[in-house]
């Protein structure tokens, strides 16, 4: 069978961008080095080399290449995006007291919380150095804004956790902050460094935003209907008291007894045996899982629609396929 038709979209994207990604990985290894604090490369390597898909840096490279860029700075920006992502993961694992990521022990478990926070800070600093080297103030503005938005989204999620009055608008702000902001900045920065027209830069940003929102909604949905086949464990968000879209929609239709159930489990964190099964039953009964699935599919379609403003290109087709792939687990 032809690899081009059987490989997953992100694998085809990685193959198409192979030379660029090798340059990005070399830059990441060089810039995560520290002459005076060997723990920095140790902690960073543990996460950076843990087998992640490198999706965000590939979005930057693809956006730049699609817009005809042939200079060196898309590599700097792709490395920047990966450093920002890695820094946020290090900080998130401390905030969430996580023990595993990508099937491996987290850095905060292997070392300690202090090391994870400080190494995350170091990577943020490195990312800003890389941005400055491009000489583009606009790119610096885009990625600096994204970094602030990510932090804002995480704090908003923290304050919204266990609050059963959380609205869909608040949920969307959290998702835009903690996930979509970096997707959008990754694609937008690639267009800007390539000198693309404003219409194309806007389209690239819209694509990244919609892709990131769809990506996160799928993840939140699979917390209630995932299986070993989807690679997502079930019930983590429920036990952590996160107000995700399925629960928000079920709460909007809840009777008094159901509302008390959600208040006990999510609001007060008192989860008992059998509660996850009951939560899934309530979500099913009110159509919350199905409506959430349709919303994720809608955002994936928005992502594909945004790409129509971009020139015909094999990378554009791969990005369209990527939007479909993000929702494949729930289709």
């Amino acid at each position: 069978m032809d690899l081009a038709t059987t490989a997953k979209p992100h694998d085809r994207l990685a193959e198409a961008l192979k030379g660029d990604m090798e340059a990005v990985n070399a830059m990441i290894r060089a810039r995560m080095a520290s002459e005076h604090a060997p723990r920095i490369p140790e902690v960073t390597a543990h996460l950076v080399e843990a087998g992640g898909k490198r999706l965000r840096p590939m979005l930057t490279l693809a956006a730049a290449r699609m817009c005809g860029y042939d200079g060196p700075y898309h590599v700097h920006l792709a490395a920047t995006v990966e450093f920002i992502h890695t820094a946020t993961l290090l900080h998130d694992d401390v905030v969430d007291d996580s023990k595993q990521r990508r099937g491996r022990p987290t850095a905060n478990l292997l070392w300690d919380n202090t090391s994870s926070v400080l190494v995350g800070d170091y990577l943020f600093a490195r990312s800003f150095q890389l941005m400055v080297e491009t000489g583009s103030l606009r790119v610096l503005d885009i990625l600096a804004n994204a970094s602030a938005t990510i932090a804002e989204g995480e704090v908003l999620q923290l304050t919204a956790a266990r609050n059963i009055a959380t609205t869909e608008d608040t949920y969307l702000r959290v998702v835009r902050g903690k996930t979509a902001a970096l997707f959008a900045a990754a694609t937008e920065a690639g267009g800007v460094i390539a000198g693309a027209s404003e219409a194309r830069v806007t389209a690239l940003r819209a694509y990244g935003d919609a892709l990131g929102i769809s990506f996160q909604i799928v993840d939140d949905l699979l917390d209630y209907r995932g299986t070993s086949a989807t690679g997502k464990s079930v019930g983590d968000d429920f036990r952590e008291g996160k107000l995700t879209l399925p629960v928000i929609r079920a709460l909007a239709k809840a009777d008094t007894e159901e509302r008390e159930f959600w208040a006990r489990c999510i609001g007060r964190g008192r989860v008992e045996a059998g509660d996850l099964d009951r939560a899934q039953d309530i979500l099913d009964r009110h159509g919350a899982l199905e409506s959430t699935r349709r919303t994720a599919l809608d955002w994936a379609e928005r992502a594909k629609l945004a790409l129509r403003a971009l020139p015909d290109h094999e990378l554009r087709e791969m990005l369209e396929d990527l939007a479909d792939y993000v929702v494949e687990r729930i289709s």
Side-chain angles (χ1 to χ4, degrees), residues 25-245:
N25 289 330
M27 183 165 284
I28 285 171
R29 282 191 292 273
R31 299 304 180 96
M32 72 185 192
S34 169
E35 182 184 349
H36 304 295
R39 181 166 294 186
I40 290 173
E42 287 172 12
V43 173
T44 306
H46 174 72
L47 198 53
V48 166
E49 295 170 11
K53 294 182 178 70
R54 295 280 207 275
L55 182 55
R56 293 156 187 82
M58 283 198 292
L59 290 176
T60 300
L61 298 174
R65 287 294 189 209
M66 240 188 332
C67 294
Y69 185 62
D70 61 0
Y73 291 120
H74 62 320
V75 171
H76 289 67
L77 293 178
T80 294
V81 166
E82 186 64 10
F83 272 167
I84 292 171
H85 179 54
T86 305
T88 61
L89 295 185
L90 285 167
H91 288 168
D92 287 354
D93 286 342
V94 172
V95 171
D96 295 338
D97 195 25
S98 300
K99 301 294 186 285
Q100 270 205 336
R101 182 173 289 279
R102 295 171 185 161
R104 306 172 77 206
T106 53
N108 50 302
L109 186 66
L110 290 178
W111 286 274
D112 49 57
N113 285 345
T114 307
S115 295
S116 288
V117 170
L118 293 177
V119 172
D121 291 346
Y122 179 83
L123 293 182
F124 269 123
R126 278 293 197 217
S127 73
F128 280 95
Q129 288 176 324
L130 283 164
M131 289 180 226
V132 168
E133 287 173 32
T134 68
S136 169
L137 199 58
R138 184 170 175 189
V139 156
L140 183 61
D141 183 53
I142 290 164
L143 289 163
N145 278 332
S147 299
T149 302
I150 291 165
E152 191 176 38
E154 290 291 350
V155 174
L156 180 59
Q157 179 174 263
L158 196 64
T159 57
R162 304 207 177 282
N163 178 5
I164 64 168
T166 298
T167 64
E168 286 197 25
D169 283 347
T170 298
Y171 168 79
L172 190 58
R173 277 199 297 275
V174 169
V175 168
R176 274 211 158 97
K178 74 175 194 172
T179 303
L182 194 54
F183 277 77
T187 47
E188 184 181 12
V192 167
I193 204 69
S197 68
E198 284 305 311
R200 288 179 177 178
V201 169
T202 299
L204 284 165
R205 180 171 184 83
Y207 170 80
D209 177 65
L211 184 73
I213 292 170
S214 181
F215 184 94
Q216 188 60 53
I217 291 174
V218 167
D219 216 46
D220 292 344
L221 177 60
L222 290 174
D223 194 68
Y224 290 97
R225 57 176 283 185
T227 65
S228 56
T230 64
K232 171 80 175 176
S233 60
V234 175
D236 287 348
D237 292 345
F238 177 68
R239 286 181 285 271
E240 290 170 15
K242 290 181 180 175
L243 267 292
T244 56
L245 193 56

